[in-house]
Amino acid sequence: MNQYFCKITSNRFITKNTFILECECPDLVNIIKPGQFCNIKVSDNLVPLLRRPFSISDVQNKNISFMISLHGKGTEILASKKEGEYLDILGPLGNGFDYTSNDFSKAIIIAGGIGIAPFPYLIKKLKVLNISFECYLGFRNNTEIINEGITKYSVATDDGSFGVNGNIIDLLKKELVYNSGYKLFACGPTPMLKAVQKFAADNNYNCEISTESAMACGFGICQGCPIESTHQDDHFMLVCKDGPVFNSRDVKL
Amino acid sequence: MNQYFCKITSNRFITKNTFILECECPDLVNIIKPGQFCNIKVSDNLVPLLRRPFSISDVQNKNISFMISLHGKGTEILASKKEGEYLDILGPLGNGFDYTSNDFSKAIIIAGGIGIAPFPYLIKKLKVLNISFECYLGFRNNTEIINEGITKYSVATDDGSFGVNGNIIDLLKKELVYNSGYKLFACGPTPMLKAVQKFAADNNYNCEISTESAMACGFGICQGCPIESTHQDDHFMLVCKDGPVFNSRDVKL
Amino acid sequence: MINPIALSVNIGNLELRNPILLASGTVGYGYEIAKFLDFSKVGGIITKSLSLKPRKGNKPQRIVETTAGMLNAIGLANVGVEEFILSKIPFLETLDTKIICNIAASSIDEYAECVRMLNDQKVIAAFEINISCPNVKDGGLIFGNDLSSVTKITSKLRAVTNKPLIIKLSPNVSNISDFARAAKENGADAVSAINTLVGAAFDIKTKKPKLANITGGLSGPAIKPIAIAKIFEISRKVDIPIIGIGGISNCDDLIEFLIAGASAIQLGTINFVNPFSANIILDDLNKYCIQNKINKITDLTASYKL
Amino acid sequence: MINPIALSVNIGNLELRNPILLASGTVGYGYEIAKFLDFSKVGGIITKSLSLKPRKGNKPQRIVETTAGMLNAIGLANVGVEEFILSKIPFLETLDTKIICNIAASSIDEYAECVRMLNDQKVIAAFEINISCPNVKDGGLIFGNDLSSVTKITSKLRAVTNKPLIIKLSPNVSNISDFARAAKENGADAVSAINTLVGAAFDIKTKKPKLANITGGLSGPAIKPIAIAKIFEISRKVDIPIIGIGGISNCDDLIEFLIAGASAIQLGTINFVNPFSANIILDDLNKYCIQNKINKITDLTASYKL
Ligand SMILES: Cc1cc2nc3c(=O)[nH]c(=O)nc-3n(C[C@H](O)[C@H](O)[C@H](O)COP(=O)(O)OP(=O)(O)OC[C@H]3O[C@@H](n4cnc5c(N)ncnc54)[C@H](O)[C@@H]3O)c2cc1C
Ligand SMILES: Cc1cc2nc3c(=O)[nH]c(=O)nc-3n(C[C@H](O)[C@H](O)[C@H](O)COP(=O)(O)OP(=O)(O)OC[C@H]3O[C@@H](n4cnc5c(N)ncnc54)[C@H](O)[C@@H]3O)c2cc1C
Ligand SMILES: Cc1cc2nc3c(=O)[nH]c(=O)nc-3n(C[C@H](O)[C@H](O)[C@H](O)COP(=O)(O)O)c2cc1C
Ligand SMILES: Cc1cc2nc3c(=O)[nH]c(=O)nc-3n(C[C@H](O)[C@H](O)[C@H](O)COP(=O)(O)O)c2cc1C
Ligand code: FES
Ligand code: FES
């Protein structure tokens, strides 16, 4: 982990509420892994005080990018950043996806809403390693669909305005052809991750989920981001340090 | 008093530390008087929390302008404002100079440093009324000299790098030809105002001084800006409401 | 669509048209702010703390900005009860809002004397008793941090007035609910919380305190979480209406205070930053109630789900 | 030009190379932050509060951002004394800075037992006793707000250890100097102040408390003026070294704490925002001392001019 002051190279909205913030960070591009995140100070003001965690979404040449959904004050400030301004970043943080272990035949990428953020970069890496993949994306409706950097995907919308009418599990049940050698990689809101966790358990899939938690430090010193382990009852794991990616067997959501 | 959201029409530095911030405020131009001030919210962040008071410096067509010296965080933020952004202003506040009373033959304008801020507008008004005036300006050195909107002036610098070597009193003693019908109008740091106050008393001049104080509200509800009266010992006057301009006989500095 | 009935709240006998009050010391005697604020949309105003005799207040510097807050040490500058009756009451009578009169004194007898002198004034809808001003040596905080003083002051004042009696509590104590209980048991109709927290700041160039009084009272958004915790503590432990104060700057804050246990709230420091806040927040509150299908604002009070 | 001697301070027998410490709970057991912070430029670190047995801590959500501050209710999650000795001490021994071990317990005996078990560890340069954690029911704050507990804990621990003993005081009291005096009179070498202030926040959508523990401790820049006032109060009334804590985010803040009475300071929340702060502030402190011709940093302590 280190602190970087990165020049913003572009900042553009891809849907009404989602934007891609790209900045130059030659030091990070070589070391950051899909599923890892950075903790960003959105301004040098004391309000908002804390950094905001965002997954690395993509890496291109010297640049890293974040895919960000408007949420509150911090993301609003980030959305207003202009090319040429600087971003104060701590990273890389967390563990990242385990996609290099060669123990699966296909990566099944499952994303809900802004949960697709980490996957453009993962897909890029999978392609380099010649690992095949398929993507299953869920959104509330057709105005919220994001497919930036995503290929080979099927979509479900809660209101049926695009693709399959239903949630991500409906989509998986409908379109995913079972193969026990597949590995699932999921990211999205906690209720969705819970459903995926159950889906993976029911179908005996190896499954990694990228979890979220409120965070102060992002690197293991504040104990602010506990997550319950299924194996040890005497202490919590930390999302920022032990995660944010966990095998779905290992955590209670 | 009212609240105005004014479009910034220009913002430019006139010395290393001083800038002129101009914005459109058709409602204020007709009612605001020289010596009055506005209380400006420098950003919509909660830090800095309080508004910052600035004298009205000039009025042109639909625009009002402030002449501002870099001091701390608030003025720094104001300096970074761009044309087209909006300024949240409360005004007009305070009493303003009494220059219309026809009881003086010449206005003697005395300013120390950024204390010249209110005078471009006063001079404009004096000209309209055909009241003659002379200006005496004191600065630390020749890099800090401001003469924007000022005519008929003499300058003193503390280090002698321009004009008379010495302070404003030295300058007045040297160059002001005595006339008991003159009225002094002074603005600047409190030590200077004290000296002017004494100079006026010693020479029996009618003299108005524009005073400064820390302020929260700027319009008389917080009692945060007390100034001692020479006449009544049982309560303080308020700089924001009873001032910021006082006759130098009326206040203890 | 504005439905005024849904917003009214009762604090003892005190009926407020809406839960938005303006805090003592941040609205003067109503005069300056009346020029631009629409008082017909304000629940009530609490006048600057009055003492029996006029007080000059502290020397400058009286205020300092801090991070997301401010310190003040005004020192209870006020005109005194007699002058208040003479010159302020007539104006207050013209205002279309409830007037709550705040009293601060240096002895229990002085509190009683003030209330007695003011009790006949029809325009005074209630008394708020400031036992928690941190900025004068001889009054306020020494009472506010001492349980037996609160007991004595409340019972003594209860004997003097039938008007709603609100005790304004000090946050500078370990267990504020003990003080709320003492207020209740001795006849107070409500408590208001919180007053400012004791704070200080030094100028690192001169090494002098930034306030002439050295310490002052901290207010503003910075203290909001503390206020919420204090109000919640009272709400859980004592059955008395609470008027919430401390760092409220928008409608969401107001809602949070109601949820935490407040029946009404007061706006303080925000009046300096945006003197139109009371009106703006009321508009937002109306929208909130419509959106969230709140029929009675009182349903929100202490609606926390644990 | 850096002159390290000018920056060293003594707290009892504890010699610190500079007055910048990292606060308990904001530096873990030193491991994560050691990867990038230059400890040779840090006065010392205070390890996360230890209890006799491991504690799992509170359920999520444990932290909430507030205006210019944050609430935490970690619930003293820690590995317990035994595991600390086994797995954390060896690493701490490799660090080039003073290690101060912070203890939090649920009974006076437990405090004593912890200190007894740890007392032989050479790497532990001093003990800081947390009697002021607001986030667990069975420990901390109930002691910190009770004068007789502070007396008992301090005297009991004084009998158990000869290492410098620092009592970390609760700000949630009316007169913190009474507690500092009790610490001093019972043998403490120093006090540290302040721990967090009790605060809370509610989610207005769900009406639930934002923290699983409901209340938490408020820290960060928002509380700085309160910390300054508490430190100043102790400094005026009790002759004991003070380690100042609360909202420090830059070198100016550090200077202000020293002026107000602190001999050293701790950085807390700012470590989360900028983990390099301790190093940056030291650089700035060196510059400040050169510019202001400060030969000994100790000259600044309690240098206020009233
Ligand atoms: C490991 C990790 C990776 C993430 N990656 C992305 C990403 O790639 N793209 C994206 O749009 N969002 C991502 N998020 C969520 C993102 O951090 C929040 O949306 C953001 O912090 C909200 O900040 P705000 O100031 O706009 O919202 P506010 O609601 O104003 O924030 C208030 C506080 O709550 C915290 N908070 C609010 N929502 C969340 C949340 N969902 N998760 C964690 N903290 C939250 C904020 O950090 C802040 O401390 C990620 C979160 C984590 C933990
Ligand atoms: C009636 C009046 C008119 C003024 N007119 C002008 C003007 O035309 N041009 C100009 O450059 N300055 C003017 N000032 C001073 C100006 O208000 C301060 O320089 C400014 O508030 C500093 O803000 P800051 O955030 O940059 O400084 P900081 O030091 O960060 O401010 C911290 C706090 O101190 C207050 N403060 C600091 N210095 C002063 C000061 N000198 N007077 C009052 N409050 C202060 C700030 O308002 C703020 O609350 C005027 C002051 C008053 C009272
Ligand atoms: C400048 C100022 C003056 C105050 N004067 C009084 C006062 O006279 N009497 C009183 O009871 N409270 C007084 N207060 C406290 C406020 O009424 C309120 O309790 C406190 O500021 C917290 O609310 P806030 O954070 O919304 O400002 C004063 C506060 C400020 C900022
Ligand atoms: C997340 C967090 C955890 C903390 N844990 C402890 C702790 O275990 N023991 C302790 O004595 N203080 C603890 N504190 C309090 C800090 O040591 C410090 O006293 C307080 O945060 C005020 O300083 P600050 O404003 O610089 O953060 C904790 C603070 C935070 C923010
Ligand atoms: S966010 Fe601080 S430990 Fe995880
Ligand atoms: S600044 Fe508030 S009364 Fe003058």
Side-chain angles (χ1 to χ4, degrees):
Chain A
M1 190 202 86
N2 214 327
Q3 185 177 24
Y4 301 99
F5 296 92
C6 306
K7 193 172 194 170
I8 295 171
T9 50
S10 83
N11 195 11
R12 63 191 168 92
F13 271 86
I14 54 168
T15 73
K16 218 181 102 201
N17 298 311
T18 312
F19 57 100
I20 292 185
L21 181 58
E22 191 190 55
C23 62
E24 221 175 271
C25 198
D27 292 330
L28 271 182
V29 292
N30 295 315
I31 52 172
I32 200 157
K33 292 182 289 188
Q36 287 192 307
F37 67 99
C38 293
N39 217 357
I40 301 182
K41 185 83 180 91
V42 303
S43 80
D44 54 12
N45 199 295
L46 292 170
V47 178
L49 180 65
L50 299 176
R51 289 172 182 270
R52 300 290 190 261
F54 298 98
S55 303
I56 189 84
S57 184
D58 207 351
V59 166
Q60 233 154 13
N61 305 322
K62 287 188 298 182
N63 299 345
I64 58 174
S65 59
F66 303 96
M67 188 187 287
I68 301 176
S69 171
L70 285 178
H71 189 274
K73 211 168 18 183
T75 46
E76 201 182 291
I77 294 172
L78 286 175
S80 74
K81 297 273 172 194
K82 302 263 178 311
E83 196 184 317
E85 291 183 53
Y86 280 78
L87 218 50
D88 171 358
I89 291 181
L90 284 184
L93 301 171
N95 54 1
F97 293 109
D98 178 10
Y99 62 95
T100 57
S101 50
N102 259 326
D103 57 358
F104 62 96
S105 59
K106 192 183 255 188
I108 305 301
I109 289 171
I110 306 170
I114 188 62
I116 85 152
F119 293 125
Y121 188 35
L122 177 62
I123 288 174
K124 197 167 266 180
K125 290 287 192 183
L126 291 172
K127 284 180 176 166
V128 170
L129 295 178
N130 258 317
I131 301 173
S132 60
F133 63 93
E134 280 169 17
C135 304
Y136 297 84
L137 316 177
F139 300 98
R140 261 187 299 230
N141 59 55
N142 62 353
T143 69
E144 301 196 353
I145 293 173
I146 315 167
N147 60 2
E148 183 92 15
I150 307 288
T151 51
K152 305 191 196 168
Y153 61 89
S154 312
V155 171
T157 51
D158 292 341
D159 67 353
S161 53
F162 191 93
V164 168
N165 187 341
N167 65 26
I168 200 91
I169 302 296
D170 300 327
L171 180 66
L172 287 168
K173 285 190 177 152
K174 195 157 172 213
E175 310 214 340
L176 176 62
V177 181
Y178 184 77
N179 182 322
S180 66
Y182 292 173
K183 180 170 182 179
L184 315 188
F185 296 90
C187 183
T190 303
M192 175 204 124
L193 293 183
K194 268 190 187 167
V196 172
Q197 189 181 38
K198 185 171 178 303
F199 176 81
D202 291 348
N203 295 282
N204 214 10
Y205 279 119
N206 189 6
C207 171
E208 288 194 352
I209 54 177
S210 178
T211 59
E212 271 187 17
S213 162
M215 291 187 176
C217 70
F219 57 96
I221 58 169
C222 77
Q223 303 270 333
C225 59
I227 186 164
E228 193 98 38
S229 156
T230 37
H231 310 298
Q232 299 144 308
D233 200 42
D234 59 337
H235 70 280
F236 287 97
M237 296 188 291
L238 297 177
V239 171
C240 73
K241 210 177 81 167
D242 304 313
V245 179
F246 294 95
N247 195 295
S248 65
R249 283 187 306 266
D250 296 341
V251 288
K252 289 188 209 158
L253 291 176
Chain B
M1 190 203 82
N2 214 328
Q3 185 177 23
Y4 301 98
F5 295 93
C6 307
K7 194 172 194 168
I8 295 171
T9 50
S10 84
N11 195 10
R12 61 190 168 94
F13 272 85
I14 54 167
T15 72
K16 219 181 98 201
N17 299 311
T18 313
F19 57 100
I20 292 185
L21 181 57
E22 191 191 54
C23 63
E24 222 175 272
C25 198
D27 292 331
L28 270 182
V29 293
N30 295 315
I31 53 173
I32 199 159
K33 292 183 289 190
Q36 286 191 308
F37 66 100
C38 293
N39 217 356
I40 302 182
K41 185 84 180 89
V42 302
S43 79
D44 55 14
N45 200 295
L46 292 171
V47 178
L49 181 66
L50 298 176
R51 288 172 181 268
R52 300 291 191 260
F54 297 99
S55 302
I56 188 84
S57 184
D58 208 352
V59 166
Q60 232 153 14
N61 304 323
K62 287 188 296 182
N63 299 345
I64 57 173
S65 59
F66 303 96
M67 187 186 287
I68 301 176
S69 171
L70 285 177
H71 190 274
K73 213 168 19 187
T75 46
E76 201 181 291
I77 294 171
L78 286 175
S80 73
K81 296 273 173 195
K82 303 262 177 311
E83 196 184 318
E85 292 183 54
Y86 281 78
L87 218 50
D88 171 357
I89 291 180
L90 284 185
L93 301 171
N95 54 1
F97 293 109
D98 178 11
Y99 62 95
T100 57
S101 49
N102 260 325
D103 56 359
F104 63 95
S105 59
K106 192 183 255 189
I108 305 301
I109 289 170
I110 306 170
I114 189 62
I116 85 152
F119 292 126
Y121 188 36
L122 178 62
I123 287 174
K124 198 167 266 179
K125 290 288 192 183
L126 290 172
K127 283 180 176 166
V128 170
L129 296 179
N130 259 317
I131 301 174
S132 62
F133 63 92
E134 282 168 18
C135 303
Y136 296 85
L137 315 177
F139 300 98
R140 260 187 300 230
N141 59 55
N142 61 354
T143 69
E144 301 196 354
I145 293 172
I146 315 167
N147 60 3
E148 182 92 18
I150 306 288
T151 50
K152 305 192 193 166
Y153 60 90
S154 312
V155 171
T157 52
D158 292 342
D159 67 354
S161 54
F162 191 95
V164 168
N165 187 343
N167 64 26
I168 200 91
I169 302 297
D170 300 327
L171 181 66
L172 288 167
K173 285 191 174 151
K174 194 156 174 213
E175 309 214 339
L176 175 63
V177 181
Y178 185 77
N179 183 320
S180 65
Y182 291 172
K183 180 170 182 180
L184 316 188
F185 296 88
C187 182
T190 304
M192 175 204 124
L193 293 183
K194 268 190 186 166
V196 172
Q197 188 181 39
K198 183 170 181 302
F199 176 81
D202 291 349
N203 295 283
N204 215 8
Y205 279 119
N206 189 5
C207 171
E208 287 194 355
I209 54 178
S210 178
T211 59
E212 271 187 16
S213 162
M215 290 186 177
C217 69
F219 57 95
I221 58 169
C222 76
Q223 303 270 333
C225 59
I227 187 165
E228 192 97 40
S229 155
T230 36
H231 309 299
Q232 299 143 308
D233 200 41
D234 60 337
H235 71 278
F236 287 97
M237 296 186 292
L238 297 177
V239 172
C240 73
K241 210 178 82 168
D242 304 313
V245 180
F246 294 96
N247 196 294
S248 66
R249 281 187 307 266
D250 295 341
V251 287
K252 290 189 207 156
L253 292 176
Chain C
M1 207 204 64
I2 293 177
N3 180 355
I5 298 154
L7 295 182
S8 72
V9 296
N10 289 353
I11 309 282
N13 298 331
L14 175 66
E15 197 185 313
L16 304 172
R17 65 162 73 93
N18 69 51
I20 302 172
L21 310 173
L22 304 186
S24 180
T26 69
V27 56
Y29 306 109
Y31 182 73
E32 292 78 11
I33 210 161
K35 289 183 203 154
F36 48 86
L37 197 68
D38 181 352
F39 272 150
S40 75
K41 291 182 169 179
V42 174
I45 67 171
I46 295 93
T47 51
K48 174 78 189 165
S49 281
L50 276 179
S51 48
L52 192 55
K53 300 284 161 218
R55 292 185 76 117
K56 193 173 176 185
N58 294 325
K59 293 215 159 92
Q61 186 155 341
R62 288 181 176 178
I63 54 164
V64 182
E65 190 183 59
T66 67
T67 305
M70 65 177 279
L71 290 168
N72 86 79
I74 308 298
L76 296 180
N78 81 88
V79 297
V81 171
E82 274 180 37
E83 175 69 15
F84 177 77
I85 295 175
L86 222 64
S87 70
K88 307 297 175 186
I89 288 270
F91 176 75
L92 289 168
E93 285 172 339
T94 69
L95 297 179
D96 178 16
T97 194
K98 287 282 157 71
I99 308 299
I100 299 170
C101 183
N102 180 301
I103 309 287
S106 355
S107 71
I108 299 183
D109 287 339
E110 187 188 337
Y111 277 111
E113 184 58 20
C114 291
V115 171
R116 205 175 287 123
M117 286 173 70
L118 291 158
N119 199 36
D120 288 343
Q121 299 296 329
K122 283 233 179 63
V123 71
I124 297 178
F127 290 104
E128 180 179 69
I129 308 304
N130 180 1
I131 52 165
S132 43
C133 177
N135 299 327
V136 292
K137 270 166 216 85
D138 55 346
L141 205 48
I142 45 162
F143 299 127
N145 294 349
D146 173 37
L147 208 49
S148 68
S149 297
V150 175
T151 298
K152 276 184 222 146
I153 292 172
T154 313
S155 61
K156 183 120 192 193
L157 296 185
R158 185 68 296 168
V160 178
T161 183
N162 285 323
K163 295 194 178 186
L165 188 61
I166 304 159
I167 307 294
K168 184 164 181 179
L169 300 177
S170 167
N172 303 287
V173 299
S174 303
N175 300 301
I176 198 170
S177 51
D178 293 345
F179 293 79
R181 189 174 301 107
K184 180 191 161 75
E185 286 173 356
N186 291 282
D189 296 283
V191 292
S192 48
I194 59 176
N195 208 319
T196 54
L197 287 130
V198 178
F202 287 85
D203 184 315
I204 66 168
K205 293 219 180 73
T206 62
K207 297 185 178 156
K208 287 190 187 161
K210 288 189 178 173
L211 294 170
N213 190 54
I214 307 177
T215 58
L218 184 66
S219 65
I223 69 169
K224 197 188 82 170
I226 300 173
I228 293 281
K230 298 282 184 194
I231 288 160
F232 177 72
E233 181 194 328
I234 299 169
S235 171
R236 293 282 280 170
K237 300 202 172 163
V238 188
D239 182 22
I240 188 168
I242 305 163
I243 303 175
I245 327 171
I248 299 176
S249 68
N250 57 40
C251 181
D252 284 357
D253 293 342
L254 178 158
I255 307 286
E256 190 180 356
F257 272 73
L258 299 186
I259 291 171
S263 296
I265 61 92
Q266 296 180 18
L267 303 177
T269 302
I270 197 67
N271 295 321
F272 307 152
V273 179
N274 186 347
F276 298 88
S277 293
N279 287 171
I280 294 167
I281 293 176
L282 183 73
D283 289 347
D284 291 344
L285 182 59
N286 271 306
K287 282 180 214 148
Y288 172 90
C289 287
I290 292 164
Q291 266 167 28
N292 293 275
K293 306 202 169 54
I294 310 281
N295 295 316
K296 302 207 307 290
I297 194 78
T298 50
D299 288 346
L300 283 176
T301 296
S303 60
Y304 44 77
K305 296 188 182 146
L306 302 183
Chain D
M1 207 203 62
I2 293 175
N3 180 356
I5 298 154
L7 295 181
S8 73
V9 296
N10 288 354
I11 309 282
N13 297 331
L14 175 66
E15 198 184 314
L16 304 172
R17 65 162 73 94
N18 69 51
I20 303 172
L21 310 173
L22 303 186
S24 182
T26 68
V27 58
Y29 306 109
Y31 182 73
E32 291 80 12
I33 211 162
K35 290 182 204 154
F36 48 84
L37 196 69
D38 182 352
F39 272 152
S40 75
K41 290 182 170 178
V42 174
I45 66 171
I46 295 92
T47 51
K48 174 80 190 164
S49 282
L50 276 178
S51 48
L52 192 54
K53 300 284 161 218
R55 292 185 75 118
K56 193 173 176 186
N58 294 325
K59 293 217 161 91
Q61 183 153 341
R62 288 182 175 176
I63 55 164
V64 183
E65 190 183 61
T66 66
T67 305
M70 65 178 279
L71 291 167
N72 87 80
I74 308 298
L76 295 180
N78 81 91
V79 297
V81 170
E82 273 179 39
E83 175 70 15
F84 177 76
I85 294 176
L86 222 63
S87 71
K88 307 298 177 189
I89 288 270
F91 177 75
L92 289 168
E93 286 172 339
T94 69
L95 296 180
D96 178 16
T97 194
K98 288 282 157 70
I99 308 299
I100 299 170
C101 184
N102 180 300
I103 309 288
S106 357
S107 71
I108 299 183
D109 287 339
E110 188 189 337
Y111 276 111
E113 184 57 19
C114 291
V115 170
R116 207 175 286 123
M117 286 172 71
L118 290 159
N119 200 35
D120 289 342
Q121 299 296 331
K122 283 235 178 62
V123 70
I124 298 178
F127 290 105
E128 180 180 69
I129 307 306
N130 180 0
I131 53 165
S132 43
C133 178
N135 300 326
V136 292
K137 270 166 216 86
D138 55 346
L141 205 49
I142 45 163
F143 299 127
N145 294 349
D146 172 38
L147 208 50
S148 69
S149 297
V150 175
T151 298
K152 277 184 221 145
I153 292 173
T154 312
S155 61
K156 183 121 190 191
L157 296 184
R158 184 70 293 171
V160 178
T161 184
N162 285 321
K163 295 193 179 187
L165 188 61
I166 303 158
I167 308 294
K168 184 163 180 179
L169 300 176
S170 166
N172 303 287
V173 298
S174 303
N175 299 301
I176 198 170
S177 52
D178 293 345
F179 293 78
R181 189 174 302 108
K184 180 191 161 75
E185 286 173 356
N186 291 281
D189 296 285
V191 293
S192 48
I194 59 176
N195 208 320
T196 53
L197 287 130
V198 178
F202 287 85
D203 184 315
I204 66 168
K205 292 218 179 74
T206 62
K207 296 185 181 155
K208 287 189 187 160
K210 289 190 177 174
L211 294 171
N213 190 55
I214 306 177
T215 58
L218 184 66
S219 65
I223 70 169
K224 198 187 83 171
I226 300 173
I228 293 282
K230 298 281 184 194
I231 287 160
F232 177 72
E233 181 194 330
I234 300 169
S235 171
R236 293 282 280 172
K237 299 202 174 163
V238 188
D239 182 21
I240 189 168
I242 305 163
I243 303 176
I245 326 171
I248 298 176
S249 69
N250 57 39
C251 181
D252 284 357
D253 293 342
L254 179 158
I255 307 286
E256 189 180 356
F257 272 74
L258 299 186
I259 291 170
S263 295
I265 61 90
Q266 296 180 17
L267 303 177
T269 303
I270 197 67
N271 296 319
F272 307 151
V273 180
N274 186 348
F276 297 89
S277 293
N279 287 171
I280 294 167
I281 292 176
L282 183 72
D283 289 347
D284 291 344
L285 181 59
N286 271 307
K287 281 180 215 148
Y288 172 90
C289 287
I290 292 165
Q291 267 167 25
N292 293 274
K293 305 201 170 58
I294 311 281
N295 296 316
K296 301 204 310 289
I297 194 77
T298 50
D299 289 346
L300 283 176
T301 297
S303 60
Y304 44 76
K305 296 187 183 147
L306 302 184

